[in-house]
Amino acid sequence: MEMGSLIKAVQGIKYVMDSTQTRWFIGFGVMLGILRDGEPPKDNDIDVCVYYEDYDFKRIKRAFSRAGYTMSKVVYPNVGDTPLYSHFRHSSYPDMCLFAWYEHKGIRYHTYDYYNEGRERLKRYRDRKSVV
């Protein structure tokens, strides 16, 4: 992925995410490659991370759909739950992977790790947030 196409894609993602009023950040391969090597890695996607408490998947999906993205994959922990991961494609930009994060005892966890950490931790987090 060239830096120019990466910048254009991130600007588009920023526009869409800002329109949904969702806090987000770039993570994983793209961020690591830029920090470690000074250039984006050779992979073909951008990992976008959102905070679980801001995560309105339907609103985000609609906004990316209006921007020309199509969803090619989504992983749900249970039917009707909030997706842990979704993958979007665009004809002019690199693919985008969307991940949600939550915080527990001051540590941020990737919801896709939720299977490794056990469903109970995310359930406790959800229950705690609904009480607060």
Side-chain angles (χ1 to χ4, degrees):
M1 178 181 338
E2 294 180 1
M3 188 64 87
S5 67
L6 173 65
I7 290 170
K8 271 187 148 173
V10 171
Q11 287 171 336
I13 291 167
K14 179 183 180 341
Y15 177 80
V16 172
M17 294 303 286
D18 287 353
S19 77
T20 66
Q21 299 178 331
T22 303
R23 294 178 300 154
W24 64 282
F25 58 95
I26 301 293
F28 307 115
V30 169
M31 188 56 65
L32 278 171
I34 291 172
L35 291 173
R36 182 184 52 215
D37 304 324
E39 61 185 14
K42 304 301 181 229
D43 63 358
N44 64 345
D45 65 12
I46 298 171
D47 299 310
V48 175
C49 307
V50 298
Y51 295 97
Y52 188 83
E53 54 271 8
D54 294 345
Y55 193 33
D56 183 339
F57 178 71
K58 290 178 183 174
R59 181 171 29 136
I60 292 170
K61 180 182 170 189
R62 277 193 308 269
F64 275 103
S65 182
R66 285 191 303 268
Y69 285 85
T70 56
M71 190 172 64
S72 60
K73 182 178 181 181
V74 63
V75 175
Y76 290 94
N78 297 300
V79 175
D81 278 352
T82 299
L84 302 177
Y85 161 82
S86 52
H87 186 267
F88 293 83
R89 294 184 182 270
H90 193 285
S91 60
S92 302
Y93 299 123
D95 290 359
M96 182 195 69
C97 302
L98 184 66
F99 298 94
W101 288 69
Y102 69 99
E103 189 172 316
H104 178 73
K105 294 185 179 180
I107 299 171
R108 289 200 179 116
Y109 291 91
H110 182 284
T111 55
Y112 210 56
D113 290 337
Y114 147 99
Y115 288 111
N116 299 329
E117 296 294 328
R119 294 180 178 189
E120 212 39 51
R121 177 174 283 169
L122 185 57
K123 182 184 179 312
R124 284 193 309 268
Y125 175 78
R126 286 180 181 156
D127 293 345
R128 183 178 57 129
K129 283 297 183 185
S130 65
V131 172
V132 174

